[in-house]
Amino acid sequence: MALVVGAFMMGLAPGLALLALLEVPLGIATHRIQSARKQALQRSMMEASARTASGVQESVAAIETIRIFSAEEEEEQQHRWNLAEELRLKKQMELELAFFTLVQRVLQLTIRVLVLFRSHQQLRDGYITAGALVTFLLYQDTVGSHVQVILWNPRVCPSIHASAHSGVTPFLLPRCCSMASMTS
């Protein structure tokens, strides 16, 4: 469907279509960078959680030894440090989520503004009509939503989701998909 609509866009205004479709490779590149960062942070978070859990288990197992040597404060400090590290990683994940959301939206907005600016020039110069421009903009919305579905649907584009866990919620949900359709 996206290819058919893209072909119609190329028929209406080839220059505008190329500019509008520039969003696709940029969106894929942004998504891949985001996925790599997310995986690295998730690994670090799992390691920090494991350190915290093993530290607690060791402390509980050696509670008598810790009391004999009066090392309760050291164990408590180590546990606080482990928890602080987990909290820092969680905050970093949230910050990166916000950053990549901002980058994606700025990218989409920039492409839209460039398409509108260029279409205004072409309309003013008489290369396209107002009806063709409206049709083109509607096609652009259709292609954009289809491409987002392709990017987020593991059945359609498994290479992007090959390294993701099946139960993991993605950082960003596209505007046209619900979580229920993503996990089914």
Side-chain angles (χ1 to χ4, degrees):
M1 176 76 173
L3 293 176
V4 173
V5 174
F8 283 132
M9 288 171 65
M10 289 296 275
L12 285 173
L16 288 178
L18 292 175
L19 184 60
L21 295 176
L22 182 64
E23 183 178 346
V24 174
L26 294 175
I28 290 173
T30 303
H31 181 74
R32 287 190 177 178
I33 292 169
Q34 174 188 9
S35 294
R37 286 294 306 149
K38 179 183 175 185
Q39 287 177 357
L41 283 172
Q42 284 177 336
R43 258 191 310 277
S44 297
M45 186 73 168
M46 287 173 51
E47 290 171 3
S49 294
R51 273 194 305 273
T52 301
S54 69
V56 168
Q57 287 177 348
E58 290 174 9
S59 296
V60 169
I63 193 75
E64 292 178 18
T65 307
I66 292 171
R67 285 186 180 159
I68 290 172
F69 291 109
S70 299
E72 292 97 349
E73 290 177 10
E74 292 172 14
E75 289 295 319
E76 183 180 350
Q77 184 178 5
Q78 182 64 33
H79 183 68
R80 282 186 183 163
W81 185 87
N82 287 339
L83 290 176
E85 179 68 13
E86 281 187 62
L87 184 60
R88 184 191 67 78
L89 288 170
K90 184 178 178 183
K91 285 182 181 180
Q92 186 174 352
M93 285 179 76
E94 291 171 354
L95 181 65
E96 287 190 15
L97 167 64
F99 173 74
F100 279 109
T101 302
L102 177 67
V103 167
Q104 185 180 25
R105 299 227 172 115
V106 166
L107 177 73
Q108 289 172 346
L109 182 64
T110 302
I111 295 294
R112 297 262 171 169
V113 167
L114 288 173
V115 166
L116 288 174
F117 177 74
R118 185 69 184 125
S119 63
H120 178 266
Q121 288 177 338
Q122 287 186 355
L123 187 63
R124 187 185 63 217
D125 295 340
Y127 291 119
I128 60 173
T129 64
L133 176 59
V134 169
T135 304
F136 179 85
L137 294 174
L138 291 173
Y139 283 162
Q140 182 186 6
D141 281 343
T142 303
V143 168
S145 64
H146 285 298
V147 168
Q148 285 181 353
V149 168
I150 289 170
L151 287 177
W152 287 99
N153 191 339
R155 283 178 247 131
V156 176
C157 193
S159 63
I160 292 179
H161 294 274
S163 58
H165 300 289
S166 62
V168 174
T169 303
F171 263 164
L172 302 173
L173 288 175
R175 64 177 181 240
C176 60
C177 295
S178 68
M179 191 58 195
S181 67
M182 297 281 300
T183 58
S184 61

